[in-house]
Amino acid sequence: MQALILALPKAELHLHLEGSLEPELMFELAQRNNIKLAYSNVAQLRRAYQFNNLQEFLDIYYQGAAVLQTEQDFYDLTWAYLLRCKEEGVVHVEPCFDPQTHTDRGVAFSTVIGGVSRALADGLQKLAISSALIMSFLRHLPEQSAFLTLEQALPYKELITAVGLDSSELGHPPEKFQRVFEKALEHGFLTVAHAGEEGPAEYIWQALELLQVSRIDHGVRAVEDEKLMQLLISEKMPLTVCPLSNTKLQVFSHMSEHNILAMLDRGVKVMVNSDDPAYFGGYLAANYLALAEHLPMSKVQLKQLAQNSIEASFLSTAQKQPHLAKISQL
Ligand code: HPA
Ligand code: ZN
């Protein structure tokens, strides 16, 4: 199973670049930028990665992102992630980044997007990994802050494919950002949104109907609403599911309880992603392996998950074709 997991061409569609900041790099950047961390070493920091819910994770995650200061820092972060992708047979990535996490502490938007996009361009040239970048709005911040971020992004429009919505879900429904997403759609951005991770199925409805999303990030609580399930199936709406994230943040109490394969068998377009791999215990292959270990996953199901990842990506039909052909041969 492990050999097939690695050999299958895979796309990663739900990955927070700030969530790929490994403790080792965090300490290196802290030293480079003269920042004092609240932890004295890597082991102590890793021990703090115990979360009872999304908010407990987010509090540590935003704290960690503070070491990212210069264009080179954002390059190094993104490049380290791409190197992991190369090792694991990930052929295409659609990572997201949170500009407000950085601009709110005085780092320029141009610094962030400069480093990230330079690494993604190198990823294509040197590693043959294609990409599309997603800019996420922090939903715990006001609508006005998202509008400002959208404006800051406009000069870099060619570098950004879609806008997204992340951070604390409960109490911050998609409808709060309907007007911002309308504006983003007018500017030609595609849209995605985290919904139905901790929030109810109602938030998935809102993301579909008010934000006109191309994909739902997480979406695992859709199973609580049969009418919604029917719609997701008939519309082939992708759900970017993150197994290790869901168990780390206690959305499911154990991997054996995860609903991804049940949804797959019902015809929902689910696929596997790593979300915040530096915090949740593994990159894409580790997520597949965790599923294979705790759920009865067949080769057919595994191949379907990889196929869904390519099909649900923002690649063109022609760009998807060679990856899909390789999957069918394996
Ligand atoms: N959910 C919401 N916001 C996030 C996540 C997540 O899984 N990861 C990073 N920001
Ligand atoms: Zn996420």
Side-chain angles (χ1 to χ4, degrees), residues 14-19 54 57-58 61-62 96 98 136-139 165-169 194-195 197-198 217-218 242 245-246 249 274-276 279-280:
H14 182 164
L15 178 284
H16 302 259
L17 284 170
E18 295 88 345
L54 175 59
F57 155 68
L58 289 170
Y61 160 86
Y62 294 129
C96 65
D98 296 330
S136 287
F137 301 116
L138 298 180
R139 69 204 304 159
L165 193 60
D166 63 5
S167 190
S168 322
E169 187 178 8
H194 284 55
E197 177 187 18
E198 282 191 344
D217 290 320
H218 293 296
C242 308
S245 167
N246 290 154
L249 301 186
S274 68
D275 207 7
D276 302 281
Y279 293 88
F280 299 150

Side-chain angles (χ1 to χ4, degrees), residues 228-304:
L228 176 61
M229 286 291 282
Q230 293 297 335
L231 182 78
L232 296 175
I233 294 163
S234 66
E235 295 292 316
K236 301 185 171 56
M237 176 57 59
L239 304 186
T240 66
V241 177
C242 308
L244 284 173
S245 167
N246 290 154
T247 47
K248 264 298 222 193
L249 301 186
Q250 320 224 1
V251 174
F252 295 95
S253 55
H254 191 267
M255 196 60 82
S256 57
E257 309 278 314
H258 205 289
N259 63 15
I260 184 170
L261 294 186
M263 285 208 278
L264 182 74
D265 289 348
R266 286 204 57 192
V268 183
K269 205 170 197 62
V270 289
M271 89 299 297
V272 178
N273 301 273
S274 68
D275 207 7
D276 302 281
Y279 293 88
F280 299 150
Y283 289 77
L284 192 58
N287 275 270
Y288 275 99
L289 281 168
L291 288 177
E293 187 182 344
H294 296 287
L295 290 166
M297 181 162 70
S298 69
K299 183 178 165 184
V300 171
Q301 286 172 318
L302 172 56
K303 285 177 68 172
Q304 186 66 53

Side-chain angles (χ1 to χ4, degrees), residues 21-28 37 42-43 45-46 49 278-279:
L21 177 57
E22 290 289 341
E24 289 78 7
L25 183 58
M26 195 188 294
F27 272 89
E28 194 183 317
L37 291 171
V42 165
L45 177 58
R46 276 196 202 280
Y49 291 177
Y279 293 88

